[in-house]
Amino acid sequence: MASFAATVGQWAQKVEGALEAVFKEAAQELVSQLNQLVPVGETGFLRSSLMASTTAMPTLTRANPGMTVPADLGDILLVINSADLGDTIFLGYTANYAAFVHFGAQGRTPRPWVTMVAQRWEMIVAEKAREVKTRLGL
């Protein structure tokens, strides 16, 4: 896996704020794709349990309240926007059954949407780098 700066390209190291813009936009796109791929048939609770942190991975601690809960990405975007270049942004679902959906359980087929999106990280970074470069007229 290439370094973040290498994936973005040398041009971004020469333009103030470019690496940070790509980092934050790529992280936001990753969140968007994660929530788009939450397996069909799951309640809104799984989708809404996605959390972000710059200090530790969110844990599987929240029980499903038995009703649909709308996703609110506001807190996640705040974490991303307050992160500094070089910080690790931990994204994780906190619904206590998320791992069972992802890896499969009790004879159910695994639906590894998190792994699928995580594998796209370098592609997402490269795409956001192209978008930022174009937006800056470079």
Side-chain angles (χ1 to χ4, degrees):
M1 181 195 262
S3 73
F4 180 79
T7 301
V8 174
Q10 288 185 326
W11 69 269
Q13 296 174 40
K14 298 175 185 174
V15 178
E16 186 177 341
L19 276 175
E20 186 172 356
V22 172
F23 169 62
K24 290 179 179 182
E25 289 183 29
Q28 290 176 8
E29 178 62 24
L30 187 83
V31 167
S32 175
Q33 289 190 25
L34 280 169
N35 269 341
Q36 288 173 12
L37 286 182
V38 168
V40 174
E42 290 304 318
T43 66
F45 180 69
L46 179 58
R47 181 176 285 111
S48 71
S49 77
L50 182 62
M51 302 292 288
S53 172
T54 55
T55 58
M57 179 59 84
T59 57
L60 303 168
T61 57
R62 294 171 62 198
N64 189 335
M67 65 181 119
T68 301
V69 179
D72 178 9
L73 299 179
D75 288 342
I76 295 171
L77 297 180
L78 286 174
V79 169
I80 291 170
N81 288 330
S82 66
D84 293 321
L85 188 60
D87 283 352
T88 298
I89 298 173
F90 298 93
L91 297 168
Y93 289 88
T94 59
N96 59 9
Y97 62 93
F100 297 120
V101 175
H102 189 270
F103 296 108
Q106 299 175 344
R108 293 186 180 169
T109 303
R111 296 180 282 169
W113 83 102
V114 175
T115 300
M116 290 170 28
V117 174
Q119 290 172 346
R120 297 177 183 171
W121 175 245
E122 286 190 37
M123 184 178 65
I124 291 169
V125 170
E127 177 59 31
K128 291 301 171 182
R130 281 190 293 278
E131 289 177 15
V132 169
K133 188 175 182 179
T134 299
R135 198 166 56 237
L136 295 173
L138 302 173

